Amino acid sequence: MSGTSGAPDYLRMPLGRFLEALASGESAPGGGGAAAVALALAAGLAGMAARLSPEHLEEAGALAREADQLREEVAPLAQADAEAFGRVLAAYRLPRGREGREERIREALEEAAAVPLEMARVGTRVARIASRLVREGNPNLKGDAVAAVLLAEAGVRVAAELVRANEPEGEKARRVEKFAEETFREREALEGGG
């Protein structure tokens, strides 16, 4: 167990168990956990494609290191998202009329919006790296780099929906829209001929 919510440590859970937990009747892991995993997979593919592209792209090593760093940043957000959602549920379970209830709900929702906002920030960077690898990297790994762009876009779009669900208006909602638009442009550029 990890964190204040007592949620299992999704980062150390085998993939099969994570998928079972995702499909269970529990409220977490949910969309945020799935988005974090998709983004970690995208970063992993980008790192692999970069490592196998040094003959095609001078900055391949730096791109691989950046992709690794982003993978390490985003993978734990599956856990953080589940824990933040647990705090939202706990705040809503407080008795109506209890002093401080509304403040606790507001704070929990702000935190629950902050986690997917961070996912979107990371995912946008992953999409940028992967898109560059599609254009300039090893052509034998173009399919892997395209997969990384598509997974990154999916993760960012899910994260954007979660931010909007927890904070429909405000700074986080505006910031996540910019990340979603940038990631969409990276994917759209591939469809225009890569």
Side-chain angles (χ1 to χ4, degrees), residues 13-66:
M13 186 180 283
L15 180 59
R17 284 196 44 223
F18 176 78
L19 294 174
E20 287 173 8
L22 193 64
S24 75
E26 299 297 318
S27 57
V37 169
L39 292 168
L41 291 169
L45 284 169
M48 176 194 68
R51 276 189 183 79
L52 297 172
S53 294
E55 295 177 10
H56 305 274
L57 182 59
E58 187 176 329
E59 296 90 355
L63 292 174
R65 288 188 296 278
E66 185 179 359

Side-chain angles (χ1 to χ4, degrees), residues 4-157:
T4 57
S5 71
D9 187 347
Y10 300 122
L11 188 58
R12 292 180 176 32
M13 186 180 283
L15 180 59
R17 284 196 44 223
F18 176 78
L19 294 174
E20 287 173 8
L22 193 64
S24 75
E26 299 297 318
S27 57
V37 169
L39 292 168
L41 291 169
L45 284 169
M48 176 194 68
R51 276 189 183 79
L52 297 172
S53 294
E55 295 177 10
H56 305 274
L57 182 59
E58 187 176 329
E59 296 90 355
L63 292 174
R65 288 188 296 278
E66 185 179 359
D68 290 346
Q69 175 191 341
L70 294 170
R71 180 174 40 84
E72 290 173 9
E73 287 178 32
V74 78
L77 295 180
Q79 183 75 29
D81 182 76
E83 291 175 0
F85 186 67
R87 287 187 281 279
V88 169
L89 293 178
Y92 274 112
R93 288 183 185 131
L94 293 171
R96 291 188 188 275
R98 179 175 174 176
E99 186 176 336
R101 179 180 187 265
E102 295 305 314
E103 178 70 14
R104 292 261 311 268
I105 290 171
R106 186 185 60 73
E107 289 173 359
L109 287 172
E110 285 179 8
E111 181 186 1
V115 175
L117 178 62
E118 180 62 9
M119 289 180 203
R121 181 193 68 78
V122 171
T124 300
R125 289 177 61 193
V126 171
R128 203 176 304 135
I129 292 168
S131 182
R132 181 161 181 210
L133 289 162
V134 169
R135 293 187 309 272
E136 302 174 44
N138 185 335
N140 295 323
L141 296 168
K142 182 176 180 178
D144 297 298
V146 168
V149 174
L150 295 174
L151 284 167
E153 184 195 17
V156 170
R157 289 180 70 175

